[in-house]
Amino acid sequence: AQRVTQPEKLLSVFKGAPVELKCNYSYSGSPELFWYVQYSRQRLQLLLRHISRESIKGFTADLNKGETSFHLKKPFAQEEDSAMYYCALSVPIQGAQKLVFGQGTRLTINP
Amino acid sequence: DGGITQSPKYLFRKEGQNVTLSCEQNLNHDAMYWYRQDPGQGLRLIYYSQIVNDFQKGDIAEGYSVSREKKESFPLTVTSAQKNPTAFYLCASSPFWGNTEAFFGQGTRLTVV
């Protein structure tokens, strides 16, 4: 069965410190992974996807198939990074695709 | 403002009543989805639709129903059969069924009183 696990419900770091949000997945096929973010009072939105291999707002995420991980990293945290972060896996369902989400990690950046 | 609009933002329902949550998009997207968000459980898929007049059950469809009579609209009805309906409901869309980048509405918080 497909599963996404984010082991940390809450993560708190100081401004300027490095940030790593962990994500592990379970999937037998070739994974397509995403990070979504929800800032306070805003809608859930895409942060980045692994196939584009880009850096958004200073965040990067590398797919490690050996460790089945897709951790989100940023070298220097900023206060505006405080938000809820979800890791998601795309899986096929009856000719379509669906997203399987992790439980989410609430990141708080302390001044 | 283009995008996905969910209404109402907050909804209260008495036990035993059906209630319908609205989701409208003006992005010309083919695929639409309904997710339920509970604390500590992430988002779970309720129903999805790839095209007008067609929809499929997701992982937790029991107690819910949907319709897709227009491309722009994908309303969700929470029926009295849903045993634990109090939750935050999110609607999403994507350009076509093979595109997995989802665009989300702002959600509806349903409370059963």
Side-chain angles (χ1 to χ4, degrees):
Chain A
Q2 312 93 359
R3 178 176 289 184
V4 175
T5 303
Q6 294 178 249
E8 304 140 327
K9 285 188 179 179
L10 302 170
L11 182 62
S12 181
V13 301
F14 286 102
K15 178 182 174 181
V19 173
E20 183 179 49
L21 287 80
K22 291 184 167 50
C23 172
N24 290 91
Y25 67 91
S26 174
Y27 183 54
S28 57
S30 182
E32 185 177 356
L33 288 150
F34 304 80
W35 276 99
Y36 280 81
V37 61
Q38 189 169 27
Y39 300 104
S40 179
R41 299 182 181 179
Q42 293 188 29
R43 64 186 68 201
L44 192 63
Q45 59 187 284
L46 179 67
L47 179 62
L48 55 79
R49 56 196 304 178
H50 91 270
I51 59 173
S52 57
R53 304 180 70 84
E54 57 191 346
S55 174
I56 303 293
K57 299 184 177 183
F59 284 98
T60 59
D62 291 319
L63 176 61
N64 186 323
K65 291 186 178 180
E67 295 183 356
T68 59
S69 68
F70 188 56
H71 303 329
L72 183 68
K73 299 178 183 179
K74 184 170 182 177
F76 307 103
Q78 299 173 295
E79 288 186 65
E80 54 264 35
D81 295 330
S82 294
M84 192 74 178
Y85 291 80
Y86 291 95
C87 182
L89 167 71
S90 174
V91 299
I93 44 168
Q94 298 179 358
Q97 299 280 115
K98 74 169 183 178
L99 290 170
V100 176
F101 285 86
Q103 302 94 321
T105 297
R106 182 168 297 282
L107 176 64
T108 301
I109 308 302
N110 300 305
Chain B
D1 181 28
I4 302 177
T5 302
Q6 289 186 242
S7 61
K9 193 172 182 180
Y10 299 96
L11 189 57
F12 295 88
R13 188 196 89 179
K14 291 184 179 179
E15 279 192 40
Q17 290 181 339
N18 294 353
V19 64
T20 298
L21 283 61
S22 170
C23 178
E24 303 278 332
Q25 53 101 356
N26 61 4
L27 300 169
N28 199 34
H29 286 174
D30 286 321
M32 296 187 75
Y33 311 81
W34 274 104
Y35 287 88
R36 171 178 169 141
Q37 187 177 24
D38 294 286
Q41 293 195 50
L43 283 71
R44 292 180 290 166
L45 183 65
I46 305 172
Y47 267 97
Y48 65 99
S49 169
Q50 301 173 53
I51 196 169
V52 174
N53 293 323
D54 184 62
F55 48 82
Q56 305 294 333
K57 292 182 179 180
D59 300 318
I60 54 166
E62 185 176 352
Y64 299 98
S65 66
V66 293
S67 63
R68 187 85 186 276
E69 297 178 1
K70 298 186 299 181
K71 188 175 184 179
E72 304 80 23
S73 180
F74 191 41
L76 173 74
T77 297
V78 184
T79 75
S80 56
Q82 169 50 234
K83 295 180 181 179
N84 187 20
T86 295
F88 190 62
Y89 292 88
L90 283 170
C91 180
S93 70
S94 61
F96 52 89
W97 63 264
N99 183 312
T100 50
E101 178 180 346
F103 295 80
F104 285 85
Q106 292 197 303
T108 294
R109 183 167 298 282
L110 172 65
T111 303
V112 174
V113 296

PDB file of all heavy atoms in Angstrom, chain B residues 16-37:
ATOM      1  N   GLY B  16     -28.276  14.280  11.633  1.00  0.00           N
ATOM      2  CA  GLY B  16     -29.381  13.735  10.867  1.00  0.00           C
ATOM      3  C   GLY B  16     -29.721  14.511   9.614  1.00  0.00           C
ATOM      4  O   GLY B  16     -30.583  14.093   8.842  1.00  0.00           O
ATOM      5  N   GLN B  17     -29.073  15.638   9.397  1.00  0.00           N
ATOM      6  CA  GLN B  17     -29.343  16.448   8.212  1.00  0.00           C
ATOM      7  C   GLN B  17     -28.251  16.265   7.165  1.00  0.00           C
ATOM      8  O   GLN B  17     -27.074  16.101   7.505  1.00  0.00           O
ATOM      9  CB  GLN B  17     -29.411  17.932   8.583  1.00  0.00           C
ATOM     10  CG  GLN B  17     -30.628  18.323   9.390  1.00  0.00           C
ATOM     11  CD  GLN B  17     -30.630  19.805   9.699  1.00  0.00           C
ATOM     12  OE1 GLN B  17     -29.599  20.468   9.666  1.00  0.00           O
ATOM     13  NE2 GLN B  17     -31.811  20.332   9.999  1.00  0.00           N
ATOM     14  N   ASN B  18     -28.671  16.309   5.908  1.00  0.00           N
ATOM     15  CA  ASN B  18     -27.697  16.352   4.824  1.00  0.00           C
ATOM     16  C   ASN B  18     -27.261  17.797   4.613  1.00  0.00           C
ATOM     17  O   ASN B  18     -28.019  18.735   4.870  1.00  0.00           O
ATOM     18  CB  ASN B  18     -28.301  15.827   3.520  1.00  0.00           C
ATOM     19  CG  ASN B  18     -28.629  14.353   3.588  1.00  0.00           C
ATOM     20  OD1 ASN B  18     -28.300  13.671   4.550  1.00  0.00           O
ATOM     21  ND2 ASN B  18     -29.294  13.858   2.558  1.00  0.00           N
ATOM     22  N   VAL B  19     -26.049  17.977   4.112  1.00  0.00           N
ATOM     23  CA  VAL B  19     -25.571  19.319   3.814  1.00  0.00           C
ATOM     24  C   VAL B  19     -24.681  19.260   2.580  1.00  0.00           C
ATOM     25  O   VAL B  19     -23.958  18.275   2.380  1.00  0.00           O
ATOM     26  CB  VAL B  19     -24.803  19.915   5.016  1.00  0.00           C
ATOM     27  CG1 VAL B  19     -23.548  19.116   5.310  1.00  0.00           C
ATOM     28  CG2 VAL B  19     -24.485  21.374   4.800  1.00  0.00           C
ATOM     29  N   THR B  20     -24.753  20.293   1.759  1.00  0.00           N
ATOM     30  CA  THR B  20     -23.964  20.315   0.517  1.00  0.00           C
ATOM     31  C   THR B  20     -22.944  21.429   0.556  1.00  0.00           C
ATOM     32  O   THR B  20     -23.268  22.580   0.849  1.00  0.00           O
ATOM     33  CB  THR B  20     -24.880  20.498  -0.702  1.00  0.00           C
ATOM     34  OG1 THR B  20     -25.767  19.377  -0.779  1.00  0.00           O
ATOM     35  CG2 THR B  20     -24.062  20.563  -1.985  1.00  0.00           C
ATOM     36  N   LEU B  21     -21.702  21.058   0.237  1.00  0.00           N
ATOM     37  CA  LEU B  21     -20.597  22.000   0.171  1.00  0.00           C
ATOM     38  C   LEU B  21     -20.334  22.325  -1.296  1.00  0.00           C
ATOM     39  O   LEU B  21     -20.258  21.422  -2.134  1.00  0.00           O
ATOM     40  CB  LEU B  21     -19.336  21.391   0.789  1.00  0.00           C
ATOM     41  CG  LEU B  21     -19.230  21.324   2.319  1.00  0.00           C
ATOM     42  CD1 LEU B  21     -20.349  20.475   2.920  1.00  0.00           C
ATOM     43  CD2 LEU B  21     -17.877  20.763   2.716  1.00  0.00           C
ATOM     44  N   SER B  22     -20.157  23.593  -1.559  1.00  0.00           N
ATOM     45  CA  SER B  22     -19.975  24.038  -2.937  1.00  0.00           C
ATOM     46  C   SER B  22     -18.501  24.149  -3.297  1.00  0.00           C
ATOM     47  O   SER B  22     -17.670  24.557  -2.473  1.00  0.00           O
ATOM     48  CB  SER B  22     -20.651  25.395  -3.122  1.00  0.00           C
ATOM     49  OG  SER B  22     -20.326  25.970  -4.365  1.00  0.00           O
ATOM     50  N   CYS B  23     -18.170  23.794  -4.541  1.00  0.00           N
ATOM     51  CA  CYS B  23     -16.827  23.977  -5.076  1.00  0.00           C
ATOM     52  C   CYS B  23     -16.956  24.382  -6.540  1.00  0.00           C
ATOM     53  O   CYS B  23     -17.535  23.651  -7.341  1.00  0.00           O
ATOM     54  CB  CYS B  23     -16.011  22.699  -4.960  1.00  0.00           C
ATOM     55  SG  CYS B  23     -14.343  22.862  -5.669  1.00  0.00           S
ATOM     56  N   GLU B  24     -16.426  25.538  -6.869  1.00  0.00           N
ATOM     57  CA  GLU B  24     -16.467  26.071  -8.234  1.00  0.00           C
ATOM     58  C   GLU B  24     -15.053  26.471  -8.654  1.00  0.00           C
ATOM     59  O   GLU B  24     -14.317  27.058  -7.867  1.00  0.00           O
ATOM     60  CB  GLU B  24     -17.363  27.304  -8.299  1.00  0.00           C
ATOM     61  CG  GLU B  24     -18.790  27.094  -7.831  1.00  0.00           C
ATOM     62  CD  GLU B  24     -19.670  26.488  -8.900  1.00  0.00           C
ATOM     63  OE1 GLU B  24     -19.391  26.710 -10.093  1.00  0.00           O
ATOM     64  OE2 GLU B  24     -20.638  25.792  -8.535  1.00  0.00           O
ATOM     65  N   GLN B  25     -14.690  26.152  -9.906  1.00  0.00           N
ATOM     66  CA  GLN B  25     -13.383  26.578 -10.405  1.00  0.00           C
ATOM     67  C   GLN B  25     -13.526  27.216 -11.785  1.00  0.00           C
ATOM     68  O   GLN B  25     -14.367  26.804 -12.579  1.00  0.00           O
ATOM     69  CB  GLN B  25     -12.411  25.382 -10.457  1.00  0.00           C
ATOM     70  CG  GLN B  25     -12.899  24.167 -11.220  1.00  0.00           C
ATOM     71  CD  GLN B  25     -12.336  24.029 -12.617  1.00  0.00           C
ATOM     72  OE1 GLN B  25     -11.596  24.884 -13.108  1.00  0.00           O
ATOM     73  NE2 GLN B  25     -12.672  22.926 -13.282  1.00  0.00           N
ATOM     74  N   ASN B  26     -12.716  28.224 -12.020  1.00  0.00           N
ATOM     75  CA  ASN B  26     -12.724  28.909 -13.323  1.00  0.00           C
ATOM     76  C   ASN B  26     -11.370  28.764 -14.012  1.00  0.00           C
ATOM     77  O   ASN B  26     -10.955  29.630 -14.786  1.00  0.00           O
ATOM     78  CB  ASN B  26     -13.102  30.380 -13.151  1.00  0.00           C
ATOM     79  CG  ASN B  26     -12.130  31.144 -12.283  1.00  0.00           C
ATOM     80  OD1 ASN B  26     -11.119  30.602 -11.857  1.00  0.00           O
ATOM     81  ND2 ASN B  26     -12.437  32.404 -12.000  1.00  0.00           N
ATOM     82  N   LEU B  27     -10.697  27.661 -13.721  1.00  0.00           N
ATOM     83  CA  LEU B  27      -9.371  27.399 -14.278  1.00  0.00           C
ATOM     84  C   LEU B  27      -9.437  26.522 -15.524  1.00  0.00           C
ATOM     85  O   LEU B  27      -8.409  26.191 -16.103  1.00  0.00           O
ATOM     86  CB  LEU B  27      -8.495  26.714 -13.213  1.00  0.00           C
ATOM     87  CG  LEU B  27      -8.285  27.519 -11.925  1.00  0.00           C
ATOM     88  CD1 LEU B  27      -7.648  26.653 -10.841  1.00  0.00           C
ATOM     89  CD2 LEU B  27      -7.436  28.748 -12.209  1.00  0.00           C
ATOM     90  N   ASN B  28     -10.642  26.124 -15.887  1.00  0.00           N
ATOM     91  CA  ASN B  28     -10.843  25.221 -17.023  1.00  0.00           C
ATOM     92  C   ASN B  28     -10.160  23.866 -16.799  1.00  0.00           C
ATOM     93  O   ASN B  28      -9.704  23.224 -17.755  1.00  0.00           O
ATOM     94  CB  ASN B  28     -10.355  25.852 -18.338  1.00  0.00           C
ATOM     95  CG  ASN B  28     -10.962  25.177 -19.552  1.00  0.00           C
ATOM     96  OD1 ASN B  28     -12.111  24.733 -19.524  1.00  0.00           O
ATOM     97  ND2 ASN B  28     -10.213  25.096 -20.629  1.00  0.00           N
ATOM     98  N   HIS B  29     -10.104  23.446 -15.557  1.00  0.00           N
ATOM     99  CA  HIS B  29      -9.487  22.164 -15.239  1.00  0.00           C
ATOM    100  C   HIS B  29     -10.485  21.021 -15.432  1.00  0.00           C
ATOM    101  O   HIS B  29     -11.667  21.149 -15.102  1.00  0.00           O
ATOM    102  CB  HIS B  29      -8.994  22.151 -13.788  1.00  0.00           C
ATOM    103  CG  HIS B  29      -7.762  22.963 -13.590  1.00  0.00           C
ATOM    104  ND1 HIS B  29      -7.218  23.184 -12.336  1.00  0.00           N
ATOM    105  CD2 HIS B  29      -6.952  23.603 -14.473  1.00  0.00           C
ATOM    106  CE1 HIS B  29      -6.128  23.915 -12.451  1.00  0.00           C
ATOM    107  NE2 HIS B  29      -5.957  24.196 -13.742  1.00  0.00           N
ATOM    108  N   ASP B  30      -9.975  19.895 -15.931  1.00  0.00           N
ATOM    109  CA  ASP B  30     -10.834  18.735 -16.123  1.00  0.00           C
ATOM    110  C   ASP B  30     -11.066  17.971 -14.817  1.00  0.00           C
ATOM    111  O   ASP B  30     -12.164  17.514 -14.551  1.00  0.00           O
ATOM    112  CB  ASP B  30     -10.200  17.775 -17.142  1.00  0.00           C
ATOM    113  CG  ASP B  30     -10.301  18.317 -18.561  1.00  0.00           C
ATOM    114  OD1 ASP B  30     -11.352  18.899 -18.897  1.00  0.00           O
ATOM    115  OD2 ASP B  30      -9.338  18.159 -19.333  1.00  0.00           O
ATOM    116  N   ALA B  31     -10.007  17.791 -14.035  1.00  0.00           N
ATOM    117  CA  ALA B  31     -10.092  16.934 -12.856  1.00  0.00           C
ATOM    118  C   ALA B  31     -10.392  17.743 -11.601  1.00  0.00           C
ATOM    119  O   ALA B  31      -9.843  18.827 -11.401  1.00  0.00           O
ATOM    120  CB  ALA B  31      -8.788  16.166 -12.670  1.00  0.00           C
ATOM    121  N   MET B  32     -11.273  17.194 -10.776  1.00  0.00           N
ATOM    122  CA  MET B  32     -11.590  17.827  -9.499  1.00  0.00           C
ATOM    123  C   MET B  32     -11.621  16.784  -8.399  1.00  0.00           C
ATOM    124  O   MET B  32     -11.903  15.602  -8.663  1.00  0.00           O
ATOM    125  CB  MET B  32     -12.922  18.577  -9.570  1.00  0.00           C
ATOM    126  CG  MET B  32     -12.887  19.740 -10.569  1.00  0.00           C
ATOM    127  SD  MET B  32     -14.359  20.771 -10.546  1.00  0.00           S
ATOM    128  CE  MET B  32     -14.112  21.711  -9.014  1.00  0.00           C
ATOM    129  N   TYR B  33     -11.334  17.220  -7.179  1.00  0.00           N
ATOM    130  CA  TYR B  33     -11.173  16.297  -6.062  1.00  0.00           C
ATOM    131  C   TYR B  33     -11.773  16.894  -4.789  1.00  0.00           C
ATOM    132  O   TYR B  33     -11.794  18.109  -4.615  1.00  0.00           O
ATOM    133  CB  TYR B  33      -9.675  16.046  -5.777  1.00  0.00           C
ATOM    134  CG  TYR B  33      -8.836  15.701  -6.976  1.00  0.00           C
ATOM    135  CD1 TYR B  33      -8.355  16.683  -7.830  1.00  0.00           C
ATOM    136  CD2 TYR B  33      -8.524  14.373  -7.270  1.00  0.00           C
ATOM    137  CE1 TYR B  33      -7.573  16.377  -8.927  1.00  0.00           C
ATOM    138  CE2 TYR B  33      -7.750  14.054  -8.379  1.00  0.00           C
ATOM    139  CZ  TYR B  33      -7.287  15.062  -9.200  1.00  0.00           C
ATOM    140  OH  TYR B  33      -6.526  14.748 -10.293  1.00  0.00           O
ATOM    141  N   TRP B  34     -12.194  16.013  -3.903  1.00  0.00           N
ATOM    142  CA  TRP B  34     -12.580  16.406  -2.552  1.00  0.00           C
ATOM    143  C   TRP B  34     -11.716  15.644  -1.559  1.00  0.00           C
ATOM    144  O   TRP B  34     -11.594  14.418  -1.632  1.00  0.00           O
ATOM    145  CB  TRP B  34     -14.048  16.107  -2.266  1.00  0.00           C
ATOM    146  CG  TRP B  34     -14.977  17.186  -2.699  1.00  0.00           C
ATOM    147  CD1 TRP B  34     -15.797  17.190  -3.791  1.00  0.00           C
ATOM    148  CD2 TRP B  34     -15.208  18.438  -2.041  1.00  0.00           C
ATOM    149  NE1 TRP B  34     -16.510  18.355  -3.858  1.00  0.00           N
ATOM    150  CE2 TRP B  34     -16.171  19.134  -2.791  1.00  0.00           C
ATOM    151  CE3 TRP B  34     -14.689  19.031  -0.887  1.00  0.00           C
ATOM    152  CZ2 TRP B  34     -16.631  20.402  -2.436  1.00  0.00           C
ATOM    153  CZ3 TRP B  34     -15.140  20.284  -0.528  1.00  0.00           C
ATOM    154  CH2 TRP B  34     -16.105  20.962  -1.296  1.00  0.00           C
ATOM    155  N   TYR B  35     -11.133  16.405  -0.633  1.00  0.00           N
ATOM    156  CA  TYR B  35     -10.334  15.833   0.439  1.00  0.00           C
ATOM    157  C   TYR B  35     -10.932  16.232   1.784  1.00  0.00           C
ATOM    158  O   TYR B  35     -11.525  17.293   1.927  1.00  0.00           O
ATOM    159  CB  TYR B  35      -8.893  16.339   0.400  1.00  0.00           C
ATOM    160  CG  TYR B  35      -8.053  15.785  -0.715  1.00  0.00           C
ATOM    161  CD1 TYR B  35      -8.014  16.405  -1.961  1.00  0.00           C
ATOM    162  CD2 TYR B  35      -7.281  14.642  -0.526  1.00  0.00           C
ATOM    163  CE1 TYR B  35      -7.224  15.905  -2.987  1.00  0.00           C
ATOM    164  CE2 TYR B  35      -6.490  14.132  -1.547  1.00  0.00           C
ATOM    165  CZ  TYR B  35      -6.466  14.771  -2.773  1.00  0.00           C
ATOM    166  OH  TYR B  35      -5.683  14.265  -3.778  1.00  0.00           O
ATOM    167  N   ARG B  36     -10.696  15.368   2.746  1.00  0.00           N
ATOM    168  CA  ARG B  36     -11.072  15.669   4.119  1.00  0.00           C
ATOM    169  C   ARG B  36      -9.784  15.810   4.922  1.00  0.00           C
ATOM    170  O   ARG B  36      -8.857  14.994   4.785  1.00  0.00           O
ATOM    171  CB  ARG B  36     -11.930  14.538   4.670  1.00  0.00           C
ATOM    172  CG  ARG B  36     -12.216  14.629   6.153  1.00  0.00           C
ATOM    173  CD  ARG B  36     -13.103  13.503   6.620  1.00  0.00           C
ATOM    174  NE  ARG B  36     -13.130  13.491   8.076  1.00  0.00           N
ATOM    175  CZ  ARG B  36     -14.223  13.244   8.787  1.00  0.00           C
ATOM    176  NH1 ARG B  36     -15.366  12.964   8.179  1.00  0.00           N
ATOM    177  NH2 ARG B  36     -14.170  13.261  10.097  1.00  0.00           N
ATOM    178  N   GLN B  37      -9.721  16.837   5.763  1.00  0.00           N
ATOM    179  CA  GLN B  37      -8.532  17.088   6.568  1.00  0.00           C
ATOM    180  C   GLN B  37      -8.897  17.019   8.042  1.00  0.00           C
ATOM    181  O   GLN B  37      -9.744  17.771   8.515  1.00  0.00           O
ATOM    182  CB  GLN B  37      -7.948  18.469   6.231  1.00  0.00           C
ATOM    183  CG  GLN B  37      -6.615  18.774   6.871  1.00  0.00           C
ATOM    184  CD  GLN B  37      -6.069  20.126   6.427  1.00  0.00           C
ATOM    185  OE1 GLN B  37      -6.800  21.020   6.023  1.00  0.00           O
ATOM    186  NE2 GLN B  37      -4.752  20.282   6.493  1.00  0.00           N
TER     187      GLN B  37
END
